[in-house]
Amino acid sequence: MKLVALAMLLVASLCYAQDTGDFRPAATNVLDAQYPRVDSAGRAEFRFKAPDATAVKLNFWSGPKLDLAKQVDGFWTVTTPPLVPGLHYYTIVVDGAEVSDPSSHSYYGGGKDASCIEIPEAGSTYYSPQDVPHGQVREVWYHSDVTGTWRHALVYTPPGYDEHTKVRYPVLYLQHGGGEDETGWIKQGHANFILDNLIAAGTAKPMIVVMANGYARRAGAAPPPAGRPFGSPEMMKAMQEMMTAFEDDVTKALIPFIDSTFRTIADREHRAMAGLSMGGMQTFTVTFDRLDLFSYIGGFSGAAMAFGGQTFDAKTSLHGELADPTAFAKKVHLLWLGVGTDEPAMMHTGIVNLHNSLTEAHVQHVFYESPGTAHEWQTWRRDLKDFAPRLFQ
Amino acid sequence: MKLVALAMLLVASLCYAQDTGDFRPAATNVLDAQYPRVDSAGRAEFRFKAPDATAVKLNFWSGPKLDLAKQVDGFWTVTTPPLVPGLHYYTIVVDGAEVSDPSSHSYYGGGKDASCIEIPEAGSTYYSPQDVPHGQVREVWYHSDVTGTWRHALVYTPPGYDEHTKVRYPVLYLQHGGGEDETGWIKQGHANFILDNLIAAGTAKPMIVVMANGYARRAGAAPPPAGRPFGSPEMMKAMQEMMTAFEDDVTKALIPFIDSTFRTIADREHRAMAGLSMGGMQTFTVTFDRLDLFSYIGGFSGAAMAFGGQTFDAKTSLHGELADPTAFAKKVHLLWLGVGTDEPAMMHTGIVNLHNSLTEAHVQHVFYESPGTAHEWQTWRRDLKDFAPRLFQ
């Protein structure tokens, strides 16, 4: 009898521990919002007010889909299993309406201002503000004759930029993914803190980082046709047109604007480009078209897309630049590929295959696999942490 | 019979005109979102997907509350009456859940990332990007010993700041309202474009504008008590503590950081402060406490709150600084008050009364009423347009 009571007590105390834990409001919450909250095991507790709803669901874009339970006070709640560390996009689905969580700050992804929750990674300080000198992130507007519009970009200037007025800096062009925009690398990725910390440690050279908007439409061009399925001829044509307009915008409007506005070293030896997902595809397309402009290249979870489903062939792909690996290694100082081990199989396999093909063709490159992470920002934060120190050395 | 047919045709064509209009996607929409859309009469058409909902409402925070009607495709729609030009916060209420519209970009207000719709003002170009030199908006982080945290601020540097490395500039500290944050003056207010355009026209002096976060809690202090009603002793005490912590943060952390980081003219003759609503109250409190630091003062829809419901008395209010109007006019070069004619009666009356009291006490000041606008951003854009040219002349 005593043993049973002890066992019950043990079960009760375990349940109690599970129910209370050490939950803290998520770093991604709006000011003073108590929910969602996260415990040290990475579990997250959500609370959403919908007094008249009949069904409320929680939809992690790269994670679990969960039903919330209605409480007597009109709030709906759920506690997740432990989540992978990093920043996770999510949506609340209330009676079929997919909306953001008013308790979360918003982060542009999936073509809208979406919710995110930050699950801390134990021991990782490289993407949070530390007691080191901080660079600035500058919003700039430049007029593009390519698009016929004012375009918005963010520019990270390293610590000391304003003080050392004679110093010129190399530049990394760093692109966001599809459905995101130029704010992603700062708001979601914390690229500024990653660079601040790497530069303070002496691991990365002080550099300017330019984050541009990856969508471009030529002046006077019609918007893409609405409602056509992905992969349809109309959509493929629209994407191709966007790609060439973006490339022209980068090379004819953005780079000249950056080089005339900031103290850059305006040559290919001091210019890098990298991007994630769609931005990785754009990076490979732009840089291999214009190796006169770039000598460092990074594809984060996206490089393989540059081949549009075609098998990579070192002799013919990428304008045949890789056919002579020795000549290529002299010309391009870094060819960098990354992918998360938990990304969708097609993405993961595509990049692993590209890595293998490059190896077989004796093309010098770096391949990095982020352990346990999906097609999400934790993968790309790690990518940048590995990539940036290899630039301009 | 023919006349009746003609009349029916006329009615039908009028209805048709009302139904189609010249609607265009709102400037506040996310990329390529077709709804909400606005016509030249200022009417807005909303469309929101909620297939399983039983009631969907549109809630303008300073405007109409409207029911949406369910369509067969699972979308809910409504067309508003003509709205006042400017930026309007709104929420969608779906089965009792108050959420943002996924079609709108988000704007921090009401303590969350909320939706806004921009209703164009015919002929107004002063708050949109024109073909003039553009300043930069810089995100900076400074460590505050007052709060014990890294704090985020935005800093507008005028066109030419980077080129003219020997030139020093005056500074305007410009504060957001309650429920908003330091991003408001740029995202909602377009303060950068207003300054760009005024500076290009030669109307305003080139100046630095600092937009700080108006919430502050002293290092180690407990968060304010949750769930206490506004006006309760606990909340009044918490607000008072936030006010003094904010003042210390501005004077002991922010201003020294700005003066050591940017090429400012670091004296009271070249330092202004203004703010809207809560920021107006904070401006009056901080500047009158520290007239050794500021000589230009602006209260946009908020100055009267600095008296905490007390009757203004020129002899005793604001530390008696206004008791000698001649001495005050020598010391403070601009005392500026503004309010929209359509603001809530208490707000409007409070500021008009303050204006009248100042006039009776012979205190030199500027009073501006924004015609037809409420406690909204169009009022504060107009305020800044009138206020900024009066600075540092």
Side-chain angles (χ1 to χ4, degrees):
Chain A
M1 195 64 185
K2 267 189 181 171
L3 261 179
V4 173
L6 200 66
M8 283 178 68
L9 193 69
L10 185 67
V11 169
S13 72
L14 283 172
C15 288
Y16 182 71
Q18 190 173 41
D19 283 341
T20 59
D22 54 348
F23 284 98
R24 298 276 178 281
T28 31
N29 288 6
V30 295
L31 183 70
D32 286 337
Q34 296 302 304
Y35 291 84
R37 47 190 210 162
V38 184
D39 76 357
S40 54
R43 298 179 306 172
E45 209 181 336
F46 288 81
R47 191 163 179 266
F48 180 79
K49 188 179 180 182
D52 310 326
T54 52
V56 178
K57 293 166 191 296
L58 175 61
N59 174 25
F60 285 103
W61 300 3
S62 297
K65 325 289 174 195
L66 301 165
D67 290 317
L68 280 76
K70 191 172 189 175
Q71 309 301 323
V72 288
D73 58 2
F75 283 86
W76 296 67
T77 59
V78 70
T79 302
T80 70
L83 301 168
V84 176
L87 189 83
H88 303 292
Y89 285 111
Y90 71 96
T91 328
I92 304 279
V93 185
V94 44
D95 287 351
E98 191 170 2
V99 296
S100 295
D101 182 353
S103 296
S104 165
H105 266 300
S106 66
Y107 300 82
Y108 198 72
K112 61 190 171 193
D113 280 313
S115 299
C116 281
I117 186 165
E118 181 81 54
I119 307 295
E121 184 169 75
S124 274
T125 55
Y126 72 92
Y127 56 87
S128 56
Q130 304 299 318
D131 190 14
V132 300
H134 291 282
Q136 294 176 0
V137 177
R138 307 183 182 195
E139 293 190 65
V140 295
W141 288 260
Y142 65 99
H143 194 275
S144 170
D145 285 342
V146 177
T147 63
T149 56
W150 286 97
R151 286 171 66 81
H152 182 245
L154 297 184
V155 179
Y156 168 86
T157 53
Y161 182 88
D162 276 344
E163 291 75 36
H164 308 124
T165 56
K166 301 293 174 205
V167 179
R168 303 188 75 90
Y169 297 86
V171 184
L172 163 62
Y173 289 81
L174 187 61
Q175 285 301 124
H176 60 84
E180 297 173 339
D181 71 11
E182 66 276 18
T183 61
W185 267 109
I186 300 301
K187 282 190 73 172
Q188 286 96 307
H190 300 186
N192 51 324
F193 297 131
I194 295 174
L195 266 294
D196 287 345
N197 292 329
L198 290 173
I199 293 168
T203 318
K205 295 265 187 195
M207 65 183 83
I208 292 167
V209 183
V210 177
M211 293 149 282
N213 184 291
Y215 312 104
R217 190 177 302 151
R218 264 178 221 287
R228 298 295 198 290
F230 190 82
S232 67
E234 295 95 334
M235 281 304 290
M236 294 302 283
K237 183 162 171 285
M239 280 183 66
Q240 186 57 34
E241 285 172 358
M242 188 183 87
M243 184 62 233
T244 63
F246 172 74
E247 178 167 338
D248 278 358
D249 183 66
V250 168
T251 58
K252 296 178 184 170
L254 180 63
I255 291 178
F257 168 79
I258 294 296
D259 284 336
S260 64
T261 306
F262 294 91
R263 296 194 314 277
T264 65
I265 309 175
D267 61 32
R268 71 179 296 282
E269 296 295 310
H270 299 88
R271 197 180 288 121
M273 186 170 181
L276 72 92
S277 196
M278 177 182 88
M281 179 192 77
Q282 291 175 318
T283 294
F284 268 61
T285 305
V286 171
T287 55
F288 278 89
D289 278 357
R290 297 300 304 271
L291 287 178
D292 60 315
L293 294 178
F294 299 93
S295 64
Y296 297 84
I297 301 168
F300 305 171
S301 309
M305 295 192 293
F307 311 108
Q310 308 292 310
T311 307
F312 174 78
D313 177 345
K315 302 288 175 221
T316 57
S317 294
L318 300 170
H319 312 315
E321 288 284 355
L322 305 174
D324 180 347
T326 312
F328 180 75
K330 274 188 194 153
K331 198 194 278 188
V332 171
H333 311 309
L334 178 64
L335 184 65
W336 195 102
L337 300 180
V339 71
T341 57
D342 284 13
E343 299 210 28
M346 202 175 73
M347 176 68 68
H348 184 255
T349 308
I351 292 169
V352 170
N353 286 349
L354 177 57
H355 158 57
N356 291 336
S357 301
L358 292 174
T359 306
E360 282 163 27
H362 306 288
V363 175
Q364 196 175 308
H365 68 287
V366 174
F367 174 62
Y368 169 76
E369 270 189 309
S370 166
T373 61
H375 199 65
E376 284 200 289
W377 277 97
Q378 201 72 349
T379 304
W380 306 318
R381 289 169 176 169
R382 292 174 181 171
D383 288 350
L384 183 61
K385 180 174 168 243
D386 186 275
F387 178 76
R390 300 173 186 272
L391 300 178
F392 318 123
Q393 297 289 352
Chain B
M1 195 66 182
K2 268 188 181 171
L3 262 179
V4 172
L6 200 66
M8 284 176 68
L9 193 68
L10 186 67
V11 168
S13 70
L14 283 172
C15 290
Y16 184 72
Q18 191 173 38
D19 283 341
T20 58
D22 54 349
F23 285 97
R24 299 272 178 284
T28 31
N29 289 6
V30 295
L31 184 70
D32 286 336
Q34 296 302 303
Y35 291 85
R37 46 190 211 163
V38 184
D39 76 357
S40 54
R43 297 179 306 172
E45 211 180 334
F46 289 81
R47 192 165 179 265
F48 180 81
K49 188 178 180 182
D52 309 326
T54 52
V56 178
K57 294 167 190 296
L58 176 61
N59 174 24
F60 285 104
W61 300 2
S62 298
K65 323 291 174 193
L66 300 165
D67 289 318
L68 279 75
K70 190 171 190 174
Q71 310 300 324
V72 288
D73 57 3
F75 283 86
W76 295 67
T77 59
V78 70
T79 302
T80 70
L83 300 168
V84 176
L87 189 83
H88 303 291
Y89 285 111
Y90 71 95
T91 327
I92 304 278
V93 185
V94 45
D95 287 350
E98 191 170 1
V99 297
S100 294
D101 182 353
S103 298
S104 164
H105 267 300
S106 66
Y107 300 82
Y108 197 72
K112 61 191 173 191
D113 279 315
S115 300
C116 281
I117 186 165
E118 181 81 54
I119 307 296
E121 183 168 76
S124 274
T125 55
Y126 73 91
Y127 57 88
S128 57
Q130 305 298 318
D131 190 13
V132 299
H134 291 284
Q136 293 176 0
V137 177
R138 307 183 182 193
E139 294 190 65
V140 295
W141 288 262
Y142 64 100
H143 194 275
S144 170
D145 286 341
V146 177
T147 63
T149 57
W150 286 97
R151 288 173 63 83
H152 181 247
L154 297 183
V155 178
Y156 168 86
T157 53
Y161 181 88
D162 276 346
E163 291 76 34
H164 308 124
T165 55
K166 302 290 175 208
V167 179
R168 304 188 75 88
Y169 297 85
V171 185
L172 164 62
Y173 290 81
L174 187 62
Q175 285 301 124
H176 61 83
E180 297 172 339
D181 71 10
E182 66 276 18
T183 61
W185 268 109
I186 299 302
K187 284 191 74 173
Q188 287 96 306
H190 300 186
N192 51 324
F193 297 131
I194 294 174
L195 266 294
D196 287 346
N197 292 330
L198 290 173
I199 292 168
T203 318
K205 295 269 187 194
M207 66 184 82
I208 292 168
V209 183
V210 177
M211 292 149 283
N213 185 290
Y215 311 105
R217 190 177 302 150
R218 265 178 220 287
R228 297 295 196 293
F230 190 82
S232 68
E234 296 94 335
M235 283 303 291
M236 294 302 284
K237 182 163 171 285
M239 282 183 66
Q240 184 57 33
E241 284 172 359
M242 187 183 88
M243 184 62 234
T244 62
F246 172 74
E247 178 168 336
D248 277 357
D249 182 66
V250 169
T251 58
K252 296 178 182 167
L254 180 63
I255 292 178
F257 169 78
I258 294 295
D259 284 336
S260 65
T261 306
F262 294 91
R263 297 193 315 277
T264 64
I265 310 174
D267 61 32
R268 68 179 298 280
E269 296 294 310
H270 299 89
R271 197 179 290 121
M273 185 170 183
L276 72 92
S277 198
M278 176 182 87
M281 179 193 75
Q282 291 175 316
T283 295
F284 268 62
T285 304
V286 171
T287 56
F288 277 89
D289 278 356
R290 297 299 305 269
L291 287 177
D292 59 316
L293 294 178
F294 300 94
S295 63
Y296 297 83
I297 301 168
F300 304 172
S301 309
M305 294 191 292
F307 312 108
Q310 307 292 310
T311 306
F312 173 79
D313 177 345
K315 301 288 175 219
T316 57
S317 295
L318 301 169
H319 311 316
E321 287 284 355
L322 305 174
D324 179 346
T326 310
F328 181 75
K330 273 188 195 155
K331 196 193 281 190
V332 172
H333 310 311
L334 178 65
L335 183 66
W336 195 103
L337 300 180
V339 70
T341 58
D342 285 13
E343 299 209 30
M346 202 175 72
M347 177 67 69
H348 184 255
T349 307
I351 292 169
V352 169
N353 286 349
L354 176 58
H355 158 57
N356 290 335
S357 300
L358 292 173
T359 305
E360 280 164 28
H362 306 289
V363 174
Q364 196 174 306
H365 70 286
V366 174
F367 175 62
Y368 169 75
E369 271 189 308
S370 166
T373 61
H375 200 65
E376 283 200 292
W377 277 96
Q378 202 72 349
T379 304
W380 305 319
R381 290 169 176 169
R382 291 175 182 170
D383 288 350
L384 183 60
K385 179 174 169 245
D386 185 276
F387 178 76
R390 300 174 187 271
L391 300 176
F392 316 122
Q393 297 289 352

